[in-house]
Amino acid sequence: LSLHDALPISAPVTLGAIQPASYGLHFDGQAWVSLGGEALMLGAAFTQQIWVYSSIGDVDTHTIVGGEGASLKPAERPPSIWIKDRFRIGIGFGTGTDFLSAETVDNVLNSNSWNNIIAIFENGRYTLLVNGAPVALKEHKFAAPGTFPINGIGGRSLGAFQGELAELRIWSAARKDLALKYLYQRIPDIEIGK
């Protein structure tokens, strides 16, 4: 795990394994986290859960979690979550030949507060929950994602996130049950890996 800043001379700072903490990461629209390696490859079913406090002030697209790199083609993006138009959420991934995505029909993020986003992919369909409640997505049908690792948090080349990120959970299965059960608390060790 490396943390980057957009200073003129920027070098990654290796942080090592991340343990639960009582603080979050601040993204100023120029910083990002590089996960590196291929540890976060997701398949035909997965869940991504993230706590965000957005301070985005424009209507551009801002990546929260997904793929990173100047040469990354849309068809090569791993499962990603982004904010569009300040209050809408987009989700999607590349299959190797196409980029498949969907966005919320309505504005779903609360302003000036923390929001919990849960994206669940199973059987070719996304389910999206914001603050524990299901939200409507524009019509979509997906194939399985390609074999591209999640390697970035906060975006850079695909629209940098601005705000706070307190927690990111990723399961390689559809885990709506655990995501909702432990929405406001740490997941006990006994549940990890289920």
Side-chain angles (χ1 to χ4, degrees), residues 8-54:
I9 299 175
S10 179
V13 176
T14 302
L15 300 176
I18 300 296
Q19 299 298 319
S22 60
Y23 55 86
L25 296 175
H26 172 75
F27 294 90
D28 61 4
Q30 297 181 18
W32 73 98
V33 175
S34 174
L35 301 177
E38 297 186 16
L40 295 175
M41 302 251 298
L42 300 176
F46 58 84
T47 303
Q48 296 168 294
Q49 181 178 23
I50 193 163
W51 277 101
V52 296
Y53 190 109
S54 174

Side-chain angles (χ1 to χ4, degrees), residues 26-95:
H26 172 75
F27 294 90
D28 61 4
Q30 297 181 18
W32 73 98
V33 175
S34 174
L35 301 177
E38 297 186 16
L40 295 175
M41 302 251 298
L42 300 176
F46 58 84
T47 303
Q48 296 168 294
Q49 181 178 23
I50 193 163
W51 277 101
V52 296
Y53 190 109
S54 174
S55 58
I56 295 169
D58 60 44
V59 295
D60 293 335
T61 299
H62 298 270
T63 302
I64 302 171
V65 63
E68 189 52 59
S71 63
L72 185 67
K73 297 178 179 89
E76 298 171 345
R77 285 183 71 178
S80 303
I81 301 173
W82 59 91
I83 295 175
K84 183 175 182 177
D85 298 333
R86 294 183 58 207
F87 302 106
R88 292 176 48 220
I89 298 171
I91 49 179
F93 53 74
T95 64

